[in-house]
């Protein structure tokens, strides 16, 4: 039996559809959407006129039960992924519960060891959606305190850099660490009563006999490399919900399974998503080179004219900068190595002087969605 320990991004609910998939559960007869009006379908005002809102069917609660081969925990809403999308959805649901004077049990399962562990640092952040979600974020000490001071756009040649008019408008935006913001959102969610389980990967979609999604199961523990069960083997836990929200991010494993199982892409006439690889490092540089709030994007070298991509460089606080390269994964040259191209980029005459004498603090890479919301959105169940 497992003992769960609760631990502690920019979006409102409607944009979450680009990285989230919402499923109707066998526990609910209503289709639940991400919009504020549609979420109201969770609630019903009784005829007695006392003004108190109650849930259709059973009231919100979390229960615990045991099946033959795994433990089961029941919730009203189960969210997979403690990133910006998943945590924003959890916070908004709890805020609506307070407004309607009802209680929905909401849990978020996160595969990272802690909230924010899988969110790479360095981000130019537009606070408009956070203004709607947490209006007093400034007073609540959100880690957003480096406003953009300059917005630059360069075309790189092998040995030169040409300044171009910037296609971006980052006035009023901030340079932030996304992982720090996600940790802060996790704290806000827990304060509202959301249960967050870090370190547990959702490995399986659970369905009932009618082929309806009823929740997810976490991965089994104590499994050897050859698939055999070790002495400390423990079966994964079933987290069942009236609604299951997948907010896994780019090409989530469970999302892809359900898209294929229910033919969501074909039904929604959505084009297949295209992807890119983003490589990012966080550096600490000399104080005399640091300009907090400086933002730079580039295109051109080291990529050829047939390869989509570009670089970015953001000056954060405490002498730290985020620098990286994005390469679309539809490149034609089979010998192209995104990592090697990133190393070449850092040696460019316009970039190298900034990094000389500095220290790499963190590094990482991740896949990115490039297909766009308009053309790649699948049908929502």
């Amino acid at each position: 039996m497992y003992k769960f320990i609760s631990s502690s991004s920019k979006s409102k609910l409607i944009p979450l559809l680009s990285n989230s998939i919402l499923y109707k559960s066998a526990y609910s007869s209503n289709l639940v959407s991400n919009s504020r009006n549609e979420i109201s379908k969770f609630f019903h005002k009784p005829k007695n006129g006392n003004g108190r809102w109650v849930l259709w069917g059973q009231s919100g609660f979390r229960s615990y039960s045991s099946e033959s081969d795994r433990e089961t925990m029941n919730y009203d809403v189960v969210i997979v992924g403690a990133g910006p999308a998943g945590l924003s959805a959890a916070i908004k649901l709890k805020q609506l519960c307070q407004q309607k004077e009802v209680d929905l049990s909401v849990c978020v399962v996160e595969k990272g060891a802690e909230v924010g562990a899988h969110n790479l640092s360095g981000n130019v952040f537009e606070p408009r959606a956070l203004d709607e979600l947490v209006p007093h974020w400034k007073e609540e000490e959100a880690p957003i305190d480096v406003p953009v001071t300059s917005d630059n756009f360069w075309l790189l040649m092998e040995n030169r850099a040409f300044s171009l008019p910037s296609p971006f408008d980052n006035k009023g935006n901030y340079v932030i660490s996304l992982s720090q913001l996600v940790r802060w959102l996790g704290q806000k969610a827990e304060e509202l009563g959301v249960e967050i389980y870090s370190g547990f990967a959702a490995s399986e979609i659970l369905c009932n006999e009618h082929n309806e999604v009823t929740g997810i199961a976490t991965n089994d523990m104590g499994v050897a490399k050859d698939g055999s069960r070790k002495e400390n083997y423990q079966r994964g836990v079933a987290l069942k919900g009236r609604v299951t929200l997948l907010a896994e991010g780019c090409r989530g494993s469970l999302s892809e399974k359900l898209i294929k199982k229910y033919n969501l892409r074909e039904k929604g006439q959505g084009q297949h998503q295209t992807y890119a690889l983003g490589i990012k490092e966080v550096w600490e540089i000399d104080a005399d080179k640091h300009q907090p709030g400086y933002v730079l994007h580039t295109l051109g070298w080291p990529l050829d004219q047939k390869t989509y991509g570009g670089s970015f460089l953001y000056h954060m606080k405490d002498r730290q900068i985020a620098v990286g390269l994005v390469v679309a994964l539809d490149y034609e040259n089979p010998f192209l190595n995104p990592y090697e191209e990133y190393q070449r980029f850092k040696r460019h005459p316009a970039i190298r002087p900034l990094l000389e004498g500095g220290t790499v603090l963190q590094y990482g890479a991740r896949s990115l969605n490039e297909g766009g919301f308009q053309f790649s959105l699948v049908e929502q169940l």
Side-chain angles (χ1 to χ4, degrees):
M1 174 174 153
Y2 285 89
K3 179 180 180 183
F4 280 118
I5 301 176
S6 295
S7 65
S8 343
S9 96
K10 150 186 165 180
S11 54
K12 58 183 180 180
L13 287 180
I14 293 177
L16 296 185
L17 289 172
S18 60
N19 275 335
S20 308
I21 298 179
L22 189 63
Y23 294 96
K24 182 173 67 174
S25 168
Y27 296 107
S28 175
S29 60
N30 292 332
L31 175 65
V32 183
S33 172
N34 293 65
S35 69
R36 181 175 303 176
N37 292 334
E38 290 298 317
I39 288 179
S40 297
K41 293 180 182 179
F42 267 122
F43 307 106
H44 165 62
K45 193 169 184 178
K47 297 180 179 179
N48 57 19
N50 59 14
R52 181 174 177 82
W53 292 75
V54 299
L55 276 168
W56 283 103
Q58 63 187 43
S59 60
F61 68 97
R62 176 175 69 82
S63 64
Y64 182 84
S65 63
S66 177
E67 296 181 354
S68 58
D69 62 341
R70 59 161 47 115
E71 305 295 343
T72 300
M73 301 177 72
N74 296 310
Y75 293 87
D76 291 302
V77 181
V78 175
I79 299 174
V80 180
L87 291 175
S88 296
I91 290 172
K92 192 62 183 180
L93 281 170
K94 281 297 188 177
Q95 290 173 341
L96 290 174
C97 286
Q98 292 180 345
Q99 295 174 14
K100 304 298 184 180
E101 297 183 357
V102 298
D103 183 26
L104 286 176
S105 57
V106 180
C107 85
V108 180
V109 59
E110 164 60 34
K111 63 182 177 182
E114 61 179 358
V115 174
H118 286 190
N119 297 95
L120 294 179
S121 292
N123 182 283
V124 175
F125 178 79
E126 180 188 353
R128 180 174 52 181
L130 186 61
D131 290 338
E132 298 180 14
L133 185 67
V134 186
H136 304 293
W137 57 266
K138 292 182 179 180
E139 292 79 5
E140 298 185 32
E141 300 181 347
I144 305 172
D145 47 21
V146 181
V148 173
T149 56
S150 63
D151 206 353
N152 304 274
F153 189 67
W154 292 355
L155 170 64
L156 296 184
M157 307 296 285
E158 186 171 359
N159 294 304
R160 300 184 65 183
F162 298 92
S163 180
L164 301 176
S166 176
F168 307 109
D169 181 12
N170 286 314
K171 183 179 179 180
N173 295 343
Y174 295 81
V175 178
I176 68 166
S177 165
L178 187 60
S179 61
Q180 292 179 10
L181 177 61
V182 168
R183 292 189 187 99
W184 180 83
L185 285 173
Q187 295 173 2
K188 296 293 119 181
E190 288 185 325
E191 290 174 3
L192 291 170
V194 177
E195 298 182 28
I196 302 178
Y197 302 141
S198 299
F200 294 90
S203 60
E204 180 184 352
I205 286 286
L206 302 179
C207 297
N208 62 13
E209 64 275 12
H210 303 295
N211 209 28
E212 298 170 318
V213 175
T214 59
I216 59 95
T218 64
N219 57 315
D220 297 344
M221 302 291 186
V223 179
K225 292 182 178 180
D226 60 1
S228 61
R229 298 181 179 183
K230 298 191 287 188
E231 293 182 358
N232 62 341
Y233 172 81
Q234 287 183 315
R235 188 80 164 99
V237 174
L239 299 175
K240 293 190 174 183
R242 301 174 63 224
V243 172
T244 301
L245 173 64
L246 302 184
E248 300 173 284
C250 177
R251 198 167 175 79
S253 57
L254 298 185
S255 298
E256 290 296 324
K257 290 179 182 178
L258 286 176
I259 289 173
K260 182 178 180 180
K261 179 176 181 178
Y262 294 107
N263 298 317
L264 299 182
R265 198 174 301 283
E266 291 75 11
K267 291 179 180 179
Q269 297 182 342
Q271 299 178 12
H272 285 280
Q273 182 64 261
T274 58
Y275 302 95
L277 177 67
I279 303 172
K280 182 182 292 185
E281 293 176 341
V282 176
W283 284 66
E284 184 179 77
I285 62 174
D286 296 339
D288 58 349
K289 301 177 183 177
H290 189 234
Q291 305 175 51
Y294 178 92
V295 171
L296 170 66
H297 295 93
T298 79
L299 53 77
W301 192 89
L303 303 178
D304 58 41
Q305 295 182 358
K306 295 182 179 180
T307 304
Y308 171 74
S311 72
F312 56 90
L313 194 154
Y314 310 143
H315 285 240
M316 303 185 288
K317 62 181 181 179
D318 300 329
R319 295 168 45 208
Q320 294 182 8
I321 65 170
V323 57
L325 179 72
V326 175
V327 181
L329 294 180
D330 59 353
Y331 53 82
E332 297 180 8
N333 181 2
F335 300 103
L336 187 147
N337 184 322
Y339 175 78
E340 293 296 337
E341 298 302 306
Y342 176 56
Q343 302 308 314
R344 294 174 65 201
F345 162 74
K346 290 189 294 183
R347 294 193 292 268
H348 190 277
I351 303 298
R352 183 170 182 170
L354 179 69
L355 302 178
E356 287 181 336
T359 303
V360 177
L361 302 179
Q362 296 175 322
Y363 57 89
R366 63 159 297 167
S367 58
L368 304 170
N369 289 324
E370 294 289 345
F373 176 85
Q374 296 89 348
F375 305 112
S376 298
L377 184 65
V378 300
E379 181 179 74
Q380 306 298 303
L381 285 180

